[in-house]
Amino acid sequence: MTKKLWGTRFARKTNALTDKFTSSISFDQRLAKYDILGSIAHAKMLGKQGIIPKKDAARIVKGLSSILGDVKVGRFKFDPQAEDIHSNIQDLLAKKAGEAAHKLHTARSRNDQIALDVKMYLKEEIDNFTDLITELEKAILKFAKNNSKVIIPGYTHLQVAQCVLLSHHMLAYMEGLERDKARLSDAKERLDQMPLGSCALSGTGLAINRAYVTRELGFKKATENSIDSVSDRDFIIETLADLAILSVHLSRLAEDLIIWSTREFNFIDIDFSFCTGSSIMPHKKNPDVLELIRGSVGKIQGDLSSVLIMMKGLPLSYNRDMQLDKPPLFDAIDTVKDILEIFIALFGNIIVEKEAIALRLADESLFSVDIVEYLIKKGLSYREAHDIVGKMVRDCLDEGRKISNLSNHELKRYSPKLNPDVKSILNAWASVNLKSSFGGTSPNLIAKQLKRWDKLLK
Ligand code: ARG
């Protein structure tokens, strides 16, 4: 049993239920490395400032370094009875550094310590996310390039809309993912302020050197307000919000792939290695991986809400409620990482059903806007052109005919401006070629975009 950092003032032992209920070691043990690194910098500073004897500081640093070594190779045995990671490490240090260990907690509190630990953890995790998102972007880009000649019917309202290049559709996800990276790096930039030395909330009368600790730990600057330092959890909320937005993108990507893999759509085939079967229906090959991605994104949205709701009623400064920021934060981080990893692997295991897709491009309603624009180029107003094409589409649907099969005479009945050459635009390639406005789906533009992404991800 670790010794309580605050036990002396207490007339009686705490109830076992209290210990169990207040303990955070089961989850904050993942912060061990950062807690130790923070303590090493703090001990060095205390020695340098003459607040504790240099030889005690050296003993503390040596003890902490050996614990850190154990943590790094996974040999560190967490004490399930410890109140939290801070007490656990303090206790172990006492065994390694003797009396000197009791000087470590000079001029600090667990309130500034926990804020420091989480910030250090997040700085590292955000870098990991940036790398993982880039890996996914590369996988998507490869898929887009491998299928750069594929045109699909694009959808709005989940109704057939207009032809687009499949690669254009995939690159749309890249734009969102790139914004996700920018948001995370922005969050990292903002949280890069070192809180240690704020102590419980008011600072300290001891001659500490926060600038030194800031440099030692590689932070950009020290936090300016000791009360804010121990009260603020914006950095957790912001990271969670960024992960929540990222996860929305991942969920929509999963949904696109689920729909595309249905027999009704049949745009893609997902390899068996990323599907599961049915216990009753022998014919089934279900996209369970993608469904679980979509499903677990709900949990990530919940993680964000739970921290927002936990924080909103708290008076400044530190309150123990804030301990509960960690399980949702860790859950979101782990879940989004899992999703990114499985997506990266999945993209090499999708076959595009080119022939099946090509059949769908015979649907001439895909070209209705192209005919409208054809008429606009001949001087008609948008309204007139829309009406004319609306009539053509309706009649053709009613009579089960195709616009491309209308005679010249029939075309002229809809508008004298409709010449036989209109039929030359009633195909998928003509249609995408026409969309040459910046950002549009024309193959020339998409080829440039693929090159741009190639460069960007190098
Ligand atoms: N386990 C706490 C947390 O996660 C650490 C700080 C505890 N401070 C205190 N005065 N009880 O926020």
Side-chain angles (χ1 to χ4, degrees), residues 247-248 250-262 268 270 274-278 281 284-300 335 339 342-343 346:
S247 73
V248 167
L250 298 172
S251 184
R252 295 184 74 179
L253 179 56
E255 175 63 6
D256 264 345
L257 298 180
I258 290 170
I259 294 178
W260 287 355
S261 70
T262 57
I268 56 168
I270 300 167
F274 287 88
C275 293
T276 58
S278 160
M281 296 168 282
K284 294 276 269 180
K285 180 176 160 217
N286 295 326
D288 293 37
V289 167
L290 293 165
E291 290 172 317
L292 283 169
I293 289 175
R294 191 177 57 187
S296 46
V297 168
K299 203 166 55 109
I300 296 160
T335 311
I339 296 176
I342 202 149
F343 255 138
L346 181 80

Side-chain angles (χ1 to χ4, degrees), residues 130-296:
T130 307
D131 292 346
L132 263 179
I133 297 170
T134 304
E135 281 309 301
L136 176 59
E137 288 176 325
K138 284 182 179 165
I140 295 176
L141 182 61
K142 192 169 168 202
F143 179 79
K145 288 200 315 203
N146 286 344
N147 295 287
S148 62
K149 297 269 163 347
V150 178
I151 300 173
I152 57 169
Y155 286 75
T156 62
H157 313 268
L158 206 48
Q159 303 286 330
V160 168
Q162 292 178 270
C163 287
V164 292
L165 287 180
L166 174 61
S167 46
H168 189 194
H169 188 104
M170 298 323 293
L171 291 185
Y173 279 107
M174 309 275 278
E175 298 288 339
L177 292 171
E178 201 58 23
R179 286 192 294 274
D180 290 320
K181 284 203 285 192
R183 262 187 290 271
L184 283 164
S185 109
D186 214 44
K188 181 180 166 196
E189 183 87 10
R190 225 184 324 279
L191 70 77
D192 200 357
Q193 299 194 7
M194 205 287 300
L196 209 63
S198 302
C199 303
L201 80 166
S202 70
T204 172
L206 299 168
I208 58 170
N209 184 344
R210 295 191 62 210
Y212 172 83
V213 178
T214 300
R215 274 195 307 276
E216 277 289 299
L217 295 176
F219 277 86
K220 248 214 260 76
K221 57 180 289 225
T223 50
E224 300 270 354
N225 181 313
S226 62
I227 299 176
D228 176 59
S229 306
V230 297
S231 312
D232 167 40
R233 291 295 181 270
D234 292 2
F235 53 98
I236 291 183
I237 294 171
E238 208 176 332
T239 306
L240 278 171
D242 294 350
L243 292 180
I245 298 173
L246 163 61
S247 73
V248 167
H249 296 148
L250 298 172
S251 184
R252 295 184 74 179
L253 179 56
E255 175 63 6
D256 264 345
L257 298 180
I258 290 170
I259 294 178
W260 287 355
S261 70
T262 57
R263 191 180 289 177
E264 288 71 16
F265 265 78
N266 196 21
F267 283 9
I268 56 168
D269 180 63
I270 300 167
D271 190 76
F272 283 106
S273 52
F274 287 88
C275 293
T276 58
S278 160
S279 59
I280 177 168
M281 296 168 282
H283 70 283
K284 294 276 269 180
K285 180 176 160 217
N286 295 326
D288 293 37
V289 167
L290 293 165
E291 290 172 317
L292 283 169
I293 289 175
R294 191 177 57 187
S296 46

Side-chain angles (χ1 to χ4, degrees), residues 6 22 24 27-28 83-84 86 109-111 114 233 318-326:
W6 39 265
T22 56
S24 55
F27 52 86
D28 64 16
E83 183 181 356
D84 53 29
H86 321 301
S109 139
R110 283 179 296 167
N111 297 355
I114 190 66
R233 291 295 181 270
Y318 180 81
N319 302 272
R320 190 64 176 268
D321 315 45
M322 287 150 79
Q323 173 166 300
L324 301 177
D325 57 10
K326 277 166 274 318

Side-chain angles (χ1 to χ4, degrees), residues 29-34 36 64-78 85 89 92:
Q29 52 179 261
R30 86 160 67 186
L31 299 174
K33 177 174 123 192
Y34 313 97
I36 297 169
L64 286 171
S65 303
S66 108
I67 301 173
L68 183 61
D70 287 347
V71 168
K72 281 186 173 161
V73 297
R75 206 168 43 209
F76 183 88
K77 284 251 175 332
F78 295 96
I85 187 62
I89 286 166
L92 221 85

Side-chain angles (χ1 to χ4, degrees), residues 12 50 89 153 216 296 337 340 359 421 430:
R12 263 179 302 288
I89 286 166
E216 277 289 299
S296 46
K337 246 190 227 168
L340 286 168
L359 293 177
D421 67 346

